Amino acid sequence: MQTQKSLDEFRNEPFVDFSILENADAMRTAIEQVRSELGREYPLIINGEKISTGKKFESINPAEKTQVVGVFSDADEDADNLTAKAIDAATEAFKLWQQISPAERAEYLFKAAAVIRDRKHYFSAWMIFETGKTWAEADGDTAEAIDFLEFYGREMLNWAGHQPITASPYPEHNTFEYIPLGVGAIIPPWNFPLAIMSGMTMAAVVCGNTTVLKPSPDAPTIAYKFMEVLEEVGLPAGVVNFLPGAGTAVGEHLVASPKVRFISFTGSKTVGLHIYEEAAKTRPGQKWMKRVVAEMGGKDAIIVCDDADLDSAATGVVQSAFGFQGQKCSACSRLIVDEKVHDELMEKIVKLTNEIKVGLPTEGDTGMTAVINQKSFDKATSMIQKGIDEGGKVLTGGGGDSANGFYVEPTIIDDVAPGATIEQEEIFAPVLAVIKAKDFDHALEIANGTDYGLTGAVYSTTQHNLERAKREFHVGNLYLNRKCTGALVGVHPFGGFNMSGTDSKAGGREYLLQFMQGKSIAQKN
Ligand code: NAD
């Protein structure tokens, strides 16, 4: 049945208020439910068939590293064959899936959104265990996944409708329509393990493409839980094939395959650039130039001007820098502050930072917990040392403890020079570099002085400064007098400039066009 849903009536899924006893109880119940399901084994899924491999890998709880969240068949073991098999299944499924009407395809997304909404705490609880999300962060991720499904379903209905074209001077009937591309490789990161993973996958699927989903080895269980949702709503076999691997072999094979038409990647700059280069090579049997959507990292800055509301700025900086342990691509990792208000602002920021409760993510009052893995812990601690070596001064934090989990203290390094390593390189951990600026001109110059261009914020009470920021601060997502994290689907289409990616604007009205091609049809009267 044709649905009446439209982009104009789309509204974001509300966040859960855990100060309400009933909501907190529901989350505790979900956490215990998931705890009882930890450590199970999960297969690959190719054309609906569950396949177990001999070699397995484990996904662990970063906050309690001896706790195994899930045990996975490792497709990297026989990546060549298994990737080929999954791509063939997707190629076969594409023959039928592309014929299914857009409205019917969208219906699967709406049904999946309803399933997740019904059991939202259950999905959030998996993220709490597998990726170290606090209750609020996990709930935000689940809400965003629901939003992506609801939004992209509606977006598809929009692009499937009448497309305006100019009247022809000839006696003919003209139409313009969008058709799918083919088989896509979906390569998501671990940090928004439900929202970004499901959004990337289902955006491609709703357009009529079929996919091979290679989840992050740090968050495969959540991806498997999403595969269960797709099975529950009856998505035909082969439309989404599931190929987890402990390393990079599956990813490499997917990107290189001549049968893959497009790659949808979100992750680090290093991997993104590698994929972009590999995808540009034409291999024997390949009939197309691969399309690559690559959303990558950031070195996001908040500028605080001398006329800013410093209390509001301090709150925004601390939330943006340390929410989810600084592991959001949008996280503030650079604070650029006018030297005239530096001391006053830093006093407020250090005070707020020291109030953050670091602990287990399963506890409802935890504000910050562990970073994702040992590699991330090591990088954070070595970058903190690098910051000190290059002349920075630690105002708070600086330490870490990886005995039970990968805990890095919320760390603020002051007196960082523009161009210093920790001012230029993404760390992806709770490490904030503070840089003093002489004035707003200088602040903008520092803010724009990296290869990235993802998010940024400016705190100022002068409209003139804010207008200049609109014109001169070169980021895909600019925020004025508010934090630089927390983009909402539909409200803040998300994606960055320069080395932050292809500016695909996830959660925006044109996002789906990247997974379709336009076809003009003229018929003589
Ligand atoms: P990552 O680059 O390490 O991994 C991303 C994905 O690529 C994973 O699934 C990984 O297994 C896969 N991969 C790794 N090597 C590969 C290869 N050689 N070939 C094919 N696939 C390969 O990133 P991550 O640690 O999972 O995520 C964190 C990064 O993602 C950060 O840089 C963050 O800024 C970025 N990110 C960006 C956005 C955005 O919208 N711009 C959103 C979220 C995260």
Side-chain angles (χ1 to χ4, degrees):
M1 206 180 70
Q2 187 76 26
T3 171
Q4 296 304 310
K5 296 183 176 206
S6 78
L7 283 170
D8 290 335
E9 52 77 50
F10 167 83
R11 292 292 174 274
N12 298 107
E13 179 72 11
F15 299 132
V16 174
D17 180 353
F18 290 111
S19 69
I20 296 171
L21 213 62
E22 204 187 342
N23 293 340
D25 280 347
M27 179 58 105
R28 272 186 215 104
T29 306
I31 286 173
E32 289 321 307
Q33 166 79 33
V34 167
R35 199 189 296 279
S36 73
E37 296 178 21
L38 294 178
R40 293 186 181 169
E41 269 192 38
Y42 300 92
L44 322 175
I45 306 176
I46 299 178
N47 200 27
E49 191 193 339
K50 314 251 162 73
I51 300 171
S52 285
T53 60
K55 196 171 160 227
K56 313 279 182 205
F57 74 95
E58 289 179 346
S59 164
I60 60 160
N61 178 349
E64 287 188 276
K65 61 188 195 183
T66 53
Q67 192 170 57
V68 175
V69 175
V71 180
F72 279 81
S73 276
D74 188 349
D76 271 359
E77 185 196 23
D78 188 15
D80 201 357
N81 279 328
L82 290 167
T83 310
K85 197 171 160 161
I87 293 170
D88 286 348
T91 306
E92 195 56 32
F94 180 61
K95 290 179 189 159
L96 277 181
W97 184 245
Q98 62 178 319
Q99 309 293 344
I100 305 290
S101 77
E104 204 178 316
R105 294 196 306 253
E107 213 47 56
Y108 287 105
L109 275 71
F110 299 140
K111 283 186 191 153
V115 169
I116 297 174
R117 191 181 287 113
D118 270 0
R119 300 204 294 272
K120 59 161 57 175
H121 296 317
Y122 178 73
F123 291 96
S124 298
W126 277 106
M127 289 187 268
I128 287 170
F129 279 100
E130 192 166 47
T131 52
K133 294 226 165 194
T134 59
W135 290 19
E137 294 291 349
D139 178 61
D141 200 316
T142 304
E144 193 178 5
I146 295 168
D147 283 353
F148 277 137
L149 294 166
E150 294 281 2
F151 189 84
Y152 292 148
R154 285 166 173 77
E155 200 184 322
M156 188 65 237
L157 298 177
N158 190 39
W159 291 119
H162 172 74
Q163 299 303 320
I165 41 172
T166 305
S168 172
Y170 310 119
E172 60 183 21
H173 177 68
N174 290 284
T175 52
F176 183 79
E177 61 189 63
Y178 288 104
I179 63 168
L181 294 173
V183 174
I186 311 292
I187 308 181
W190 58 267
N191 72 327
F192 281 86
L194 187 59
I196 293 186
M197 179 276 306
S198 62
M200 288 168 68
T201 307
M202 298 313 281
V205 162
V206 80
C207 295
N209 304 293
T210 55
T211 59
V212 180
L213 164 62
K214 188 218 77 64
S216 162
D218 287 307
T221 320
I222 298 152
Y224 192 88
K225 289 286 145 192
F226 184 67
M227 292 302 293
E228 288 178 348
V229 173
L230 298 184
E231 197 176 352
E232 188 173 334
V233 302
L235 190 79
V239 174
V240 181
N241 300 280
F242 179 72
L243 225 51
T248 58
V250 169
E252 292 278 354
H253 279 87
L254 281 173
V255 170
S257 169
K259 294 182 182 169
V260 163
R261 175 68 179 82
F262 67 97
I263 295 139
S264 181
F265 167 83
T266 304
S268 63
K269 178 179 117 182
T270 314
V271 176
L273 292 181
H274 171 69
I275 287 176
Y276 200 58
E277 207 174 310
E278 284 303 305
K281 293 178 188 160
T282 318
R283 292 173 168 90
Q286 189 173 322
K287 285 187 177 172
W288 44 63
M289 291 161 71
K290 287 176 194 165
R291 219 181 256 186
V292 178
V293 175
E295 292 308 304
M296 313 194 294
K299 193 69 198 174
D300 311 311
I302 293 184
I303 295 176
V304 180
C305 298
D306 59 350
D307 62 352
D309 172 342
L310 296 187
D311 288 311
S312 164
T315 305
V317 168
V318 173
Q319 287 175 347
S320 307
F322 301 125
F324 192 31
Q325 297 82 258
Q327 300 171 116
K328 298 180 189 182
C329 54
S330 55
C332 168
S333 54
R334 295 184 297 153
L335 165 61
I336 303 166
V337 54
D338 190 303
E339 59 191 10
K340 295 183 272 310
V341 292
H342 169 272
D343 294 357
E344 195 183 342
L345 179 71
M346 292 322 298
E347 199 178 310
K348 291 175 192 292
I349 288 178
V350 169
K351 184 170 177 288
L352 288 176
T353 304
N354 290 341
E355 284 166 13
I356 297 172
K357 183 178 172 250
V358 180
L360 288 174
T362 41
E363 304 295 325
D365 61 347
T366 292
M368 241 191 70
T369 180
V371 299
I372 191 69
N373 55 30
Q374 187 71 53
K375 197 171 148 206
S376 192
F377 176 87
D378 293 343
K379 178 166 182 187
T381 44
S382 72
M383 286 298 249
I384 290 169
Q385 190 52 51
K386 184 95 184 160
I388 297 166
D389 294 346
E390 290 186 358
K393 185 174 122 206
V394 174
L395 290 188
T396 187
D401 180 358
S402 62
N404 302 317
F406 311 109
Y407 291 87
V408 177
E409 289 173 359
T411 298
I412 300 176
I413 305 186
D414 202 0
D415 288 336
V416 173
T421 311
I422 65 160
E423 200 265 332
Q424 292 288 314
E425 283 184 25
E426 188 182 48
I427 305 175
F428 224 54
V431 181
L432 176 68
V434 183
I435 308 109
K436 283 185 199 135
K438 289 194 281 292
D439 51 27
F440 190 50
D441 279 329
H442 190 208
L444 279 172
E445 186 190 317
I446 298 166
N448 286 329
T450 73
D451 293 341
Y452 294 106
L454 191 47
T455 75
V458 175
Y459 282 84
S460 172
T461 50
T462 312
Q463 193 57 32
H464 175 70
N465 284 351
L466 302 180
E467 292 302 328
R468 276 197 64 196
K470 286 187 202 171
R471 289 192 306 272
E472 296 175 39
F473 197 168
H474 194 58
V475 290
N477 287 73
L478 176 65
Y479 300 97
L480 304 176
N481 287 323
R482 53 148 288 179
K483 63 179 180 165
C484 64
T485 53
L488 291 172
V489 171
V491 182
H492 313 113
F494 192 83
F497 301 153
N498 296 347
M499 286 298 180
S500 288
T502 48
D503 188 40
S504 70
K505 289 293 185 272
R509 292 187 175 216
E510 281 88 35
Y511 183 68
L512 293 192
L513 291 182
Q514 294 159 114
F515 308 104
M516 295 190 280
Q517 48 201 341
K519 189 166 183 175
S520 159
I521 300 169
Q523 181 174 351
K524 196 166 180 229
N525 292 336

